[in-house]
Amino acid sequence: MQILSGKEVSEAVYVDLKKKTAEFVAINGYAPTLAVVLVGNDPASQSYVESKKKACISLGFGHRDYHLSETVSQDELVKLIKDLNADSSVHGILVQMPLPKNLDADLVIETIDKDKDVDGFHPQSVGNLLIGLPCFVSCTPKGILEMLDYYHIETKGKHVVILGRSNIVGKPMAALLMQKGRDATVTVCHSRTENLASYTRQADIIIAAIGKPLFVKPEMIKEGVVIIDVGINRIEDSTRKRGYRLVGDVDYDQVASHCQSITPVPGGVGVMTIAMLMKNTLQAATQLALKDIE
Ligand code: GUN
């Protein structure tokens, strides 16, 4: 059994990004800059936003943090995004999801300038992704492809079963894997799928992104499967100082020995997501700099 280490792959990505960022700064005289907008006080979101900030600092990127109260109005949030769109010293804009229920996430995402849409959530980015045109690719699916490539895991002709149909992971992941060049046969299962295990047992590769702790069990897989676990769930654990531990959507301890390879949680997909956000931010800054010259 092989452990697919997001830590190892992301370190390789950061080495490459550091080099490319130094080149960018030498040419342009400024650093790629990411604006991160967090609304409310969800602890998991706060922790993700903090990790994104740390990644920016480690690469020498500029970062702007906007922490808004959960009572912020739709208009105020939209205005902030429009200001960031117009600010030429900001190259990437990320609004941490999920937003509080009273805000319209679709409208917020649509407001982000598609040239600064480093999350790849804008409808135009998603549409381009589906038809195979250049675009910003959502960071988690992009990170998963990077991991598969790093470990030379072939997807051509393979049956990939994705658990979860979210706009952030499941749907873009399916679109990417079925594209020419990736050539996978893709099944997307979700909370209303009947007899879900009958699909997962056929999978050569399982991508679990349903947000249910320890959901995938040994009887649901075939021997020698490759498992990519996207889940980051907090479960109570009184033996830990902070009172919880992180587990994936896969029951790693029970399942790992039956796999050809598997990602751990933490240290798997999560760290890749942030590395890809940094990659997208450098891409945005580079494209915007070229547009300036035109
Ligand atoms: N919430 C969970 N994952 C993500 C992500 O990749 N981007 C944003 N903006 N919010 C998220």
Side-chain angles (χ1 to χ4, degrees), residues 70 74 98-105:
E70 63 187 352
Q74 181 77 30
L99 285 173
K101 294 266 178 297
N102 56 313
L103 296 169
D104 180 349

Side-chain angles (χ1 to χ4, degrees), residues 103-260:
L103 296 169
D104 180 349
D106 292 332
L107 180 74
V108 169
I109 289 167
E110 263 178 56
T111 306
I112 297 172
D113 181 344
K114 66 171 180 44
D115 292 337
K116 299 187 179 185
D117 174 36
V118 287
D119 251 332
F121 291 173
H122 191 283
Q124 191 151 353
S125 304
V126 177
N128 282 347
L129 177 74
L130 196 60
I131 58 178
L133 291 177
C135 62
F136 289 112
V137 176
S138 177
C139 301
T140 299
K142 183 173 170 132
I144 291 170
L145 292 186
E146 188 101 15
M147 284 187 91
L148 293 174
D149 290 343
Y150 182 92
Y151 287 104
H152 305 292
I153 294 168
E154 181 63 81
T155 53
K156 184 175 182 167
K158 299 288 189 250
H159 185 195
V160 181
V161 174
I162 298 171
L163 304 181
R165 54 180 159 178
S166 70
N167 291 343
I168 295 182
V169 184
K171 284 180 200 162
M173 193 77 252
L176 287 163
L177 286 167
M178 71 174 81
Q179 235 139 45
K180 278 213 167 74
R182 293 287 170 186
D183 300 318
T185 302
V186 181
T187 300
V188 180
C189 297
H190 47 78
S191 54
R192 299 287 178 272
T193 299
E194 289 182 8
N195 201 1
L196 184 136
S198 70
Y199 299 99
T200 53
R201 275 197 289 266
Q202 293 176 44
D204 301 308
I205 300 173
I206 294 173
I207 299 178
I210 34 168
K212 290 187 183 163
L214 312 173
F215 179 79
V216 176
K217 301 286 184 191
E219 61 275 16
M220 296 168 67
I221 63 167
K222 76 176 176 195
E223 284 293 313
V225 67
V226 172
I227 297 190
I228 307 292
D229 189 351
V230 181
I232 304 177
N233 309 289
R234 292 180 177 201
I235 61 169
E236 226 174 89
D237 185 342
S238 56
T239 69
R240 304 288 172 104
K241 211 162 66 185
R242 53 189 182 181
Y244 68 88
R245 69 190 160 99
L246 295 179
V247 297
D249 291 349
V250 178
D251 191 341
Y252 185 95
D253 292 343
Q254 302 285 324
V255 161
S257 62
H258 300 280
C259 298
Q260 179 199 302

Side-chain angles (χ1 to χ4, degrees), residues 24-45:
F24 179 91
V25 173
I27 292 168
N28 296 289
Y30 56 86
T33 296
L34 176 67
V36 177
V37 181
L38 171 65
V39 183
N41 295 308
D42 175 62
S45 289

Side-chain angles (χ1 to χ4, degrees), residues 2-73:
Q2 179 187 34
I3 294 174
L4 306 173
S5 166
K7 190 170 173 292
E8 181 179 325
V9 187
S10 67
E11 277 167 9
V13 171
Y14 282 118
V15 168
D16 182 52
L17 275 177
K18 269 205 172 121
K19 193 170 127 264
K20 290 187 171 138
T21 304
E23 286 166 8
F24 179 91
V25 173
I27 292 168
N28 296 289
Y30 56 86
T33 296
L34 176 67
V36 177
V37 181
L38 171 65
V39 183
N41 295 308
D42 175 62
S45 289
Q46 277 178 317
S47 145
Y48 296 147
V49 163
E50 197 53 36
S51 304
K52 289 166 188 179
K53 182 174 157 183
K54 278 191 190 146
C56 282
I57 292 168
S58 82
L59 284 171
F61 282 18
H63 64 89
R64 307 266 190 87
D65 291 326
Y66 299 89
H67 191 175
L68 308 178
S69 149
E70 63 187 352
T71 59
V72 73
S73 72

Side-chain angles (χ1 to χ4, degrees), residues 84-100:
L84 293 170
N85 286 344
D87 183 341
S88 62
S89 66
V90 167
H91 312 108
I93 302 170
L94 176 146
V95 180
Q96 187 64 33
M97 300 290 161
L99 285 173

